[in-house]
Amino acid sequence: MQIKGDRLKVAGNEESTGLFFAPCDAEGKKDEDRANWVHIRPSSMENTAKTLCVNLPADMKEETYRLIVSTAFGAGKRLNKSVRDGEYSKVVTVS
């Protein structure tokens, strides 16, 4: 899976940053319990400011998700003190 955009680079603590797939209900509302989210760690993806390229886990359930990018990446090579989440506005279906 390849995601293109701006300011996508994932940096910071490996446990709290990365690409997350949050399961959704039929109305597109995401599950708020992060324990249920699929976590793709930064070290296992192509990771640049404009592109994220990942292989989805083989055991990932076929369902609807919200994509969330969590990063502490700042301007240049600087890291922010806190992790920020960016959420894609549309749902994504894995099948």
Side-chain angles (χ1 to χ4, degrees):
M1 170 181 213
Q2 188 174 48
I3 301 167
K4 292 188 174 197
D6 292 315
R7 301 173 62 189
L8 292 174
K9 177 123 178 116
V10 176
N13 180 311
E14 191 73 13
E15 293 301 315
S16 59
T17 64
L19 179 62
F20 292 88
F21 290 81
C24 294
D25 62 19
E27 288 79 40
K29 184 176 180 329
K30 75 177 182 226
D31 181 347
E32 295 292 337
D33 184 359
R34 285 180 92 104
N36 296 329
W37 296 6
V38 177
H39 182 197
I40 309 292
R41 298 181 188 285
S43 59
S44 63
M45 67 175 89
E46 179 184 326
N47 182 10
T48 68
K50 295 198 175 276
T51 304
L52 297 177
C53 189
V54 301
N55 290 320
L56 299 179
D59 61 348
M60 193 166 173
K61 292 180 184 174
E62 292 186 5
E63 63 182 300
T64 305
Y65 296 91
R66 289 271 181 190
L67 290 178
I68 300 158
V69 178
S70 295
T71 185
F73 187 68
K77 295 183 179 180
R78 185 178 60 86
L79 289 180
N80 292 323
K81 291 180 182 177
S82 61
V83 174
R84 297 180 326 264
D85 290 340
E87 184 174 326
Y88 185 53
S89 62
K90 298 179 181 175
V91 295
V92 175
T93 303
V94 173
S95 59

